[in-house]
Amino acid sequence: FCWGQNLYGELGIGNTTNMTTPQPVLGGNNFSSISAGNQITCAINTTGSAFCWGNNTYGQLGLGNFSTTVNLPTPQLVAGGYNFTSISAGYQSVCALNTTENAYCWGRNNNNQLGLGSSNTTSMYTPQNISWVNNFTTISLFYIGKRRNTLKNINKVYLNRSMILFQMQNTR
């Protein structure tokens, strides 16, 4: 279920009407996790497939190409056929972890915020492997504004302007 502001279809209810009460997300998926970012929402269903909906201006829905329809108000399957365990929608970009704890990111990359380890600043329309670091147990993207955020058990922190990747200590 989603509710709140819906200017770009980020509630996944098939329209752009703001909602004050929880509404079922369309598509018939059973989601095991969900993440709301800036103008987008992404979720993983119980089989590990990722879906995103809302604003796709920079490819942040992960559809594999730029759609002439920028706002997509229903869940769209993320390209690549990956099985993900967690997902985090940020500011115009998304990152997710697959079943082998490798991070993949897609969306806006104008300041290298996807963490691809190259000088390519092109937006990415499909999940891109963050190959220079692996074995993530948790991934979280957030837009840093006036709020302070605290995370514990951090082993390594990777900063790249509007995105922060945290490699958490493995406590298993």
Side-chain angles (χ1 to χ4, degrees), residues 87-106:
I87 195 163
S88 183
Y91 181 75
Q92 301 173 336
S93 57
V94 178
C95 287
L97 294 180
N98 72 358
T99 56
T100 58
E101 299 180 340
N102 291 311
Y104 289 80
C105 296
W106 60 94

Side-chain angles (χ1 to χ4, degrees), residues 5-24:
Q5 184 172 305
N6 195 30
L7 296 176
Y8 303 92
E10 58 265 45
L11 298 184
I13 59 175
N15 60 48
T16 56
T17 303
N18 295 340
M19 293 292 166
T20 58
T21 59
Q23 303 294 311

Side-chain angles (χ1 to χ4, degrees), residues 24-95:
V25 174
L26 298 179
N29 282 289
N30 290 318
F31 294 119
S32 58
S33 67
I34 191 165
S35 177
N38 182 53
Q39 305 170 354
I40 60 171
T41 304
C42 294
I44 298 172
N45 69 10
T46 55
T47 64
S49 296
F51 292 82
C52 293
W53 54 94
N55 187 335
N56 194 41
T57 302
Y58 300 101
Q60 60 265 48
L61 300 186
L63 304 179
N65 59 16
F66 176 76
S67 172
T68 56
T69 305
V70 175
N71 302 326
L72 297 166
T74 58
Q76 307 292 311
L77 180 64
V78 172
Y82 298 101
N83 285 320
F84 291 114
T85 58
S86 64
I87 195 163
S88 183
Y91 181 75
Q92 301 173 336
S93 57
V94 178
C95 287

Side-chain angles (χ1 to χ4, degrees), residues 66-166:
F66 176 76
S67 172
T68 56
T69 305
V70 175
N71 302 326
L72 297 166
T74 58
Q76 307 292 311
L77 180 64
V78 172
Y82 298 101
N83 285 320
F84 291 114
T85 58
S86 64
I87 195 163
S88 183
Y91 181 75
Q92 301 173 336
S93 57
V94 178
C95 287
L97 294 180
N98 72 358
T99 56
T100 58
E101 299 180 340
N102 291 311
Y104 289 80
C105 296
W106 60 94
R108 191 169 190 183
N109 195 39
N110 62 316
N111 291 307
N112 293 302
Q113 60 264 47
L114 296 183
L116 301 176
S118 71
S119 60
N120 184 350
T121 58
T122 304
S123 292
M124 297 294 166
Y125 302 120
T126 59
Q128 304 293 307
N129 181 244
I130 309 304
S131 59
W132 53 271
V133 65
N134 55 24
N135 298 319
F136 283 92
T137 55
T138 303
I139 194 162
S140 182
L141 307 181
F142 54 95
Y143 182 67
I144 299 174
K146 294 182 180 179
R147 294 193 177 107
R148 292 178 187 234
N149 298 290
T150 303
L151 296 174
K152 294 182 179 180
N153 298 323
I154 298 173
N155 186 27
K156 295 180 183 175
V157 178
Y158 301 96
L159 291 160
N160 199 333
R161 288 199 167 181
S162 63
M163 179 184 295
I164 300 175
L165 299 176
F166 293 94

Side-chain angles (χ1 to χ4, degrees), residues 137 153 168-172:
T137 55
N153 298 323
M168 306 299 282
Q169 292 175 352
N170 190 342
T171 56
R172 288 185 235 171

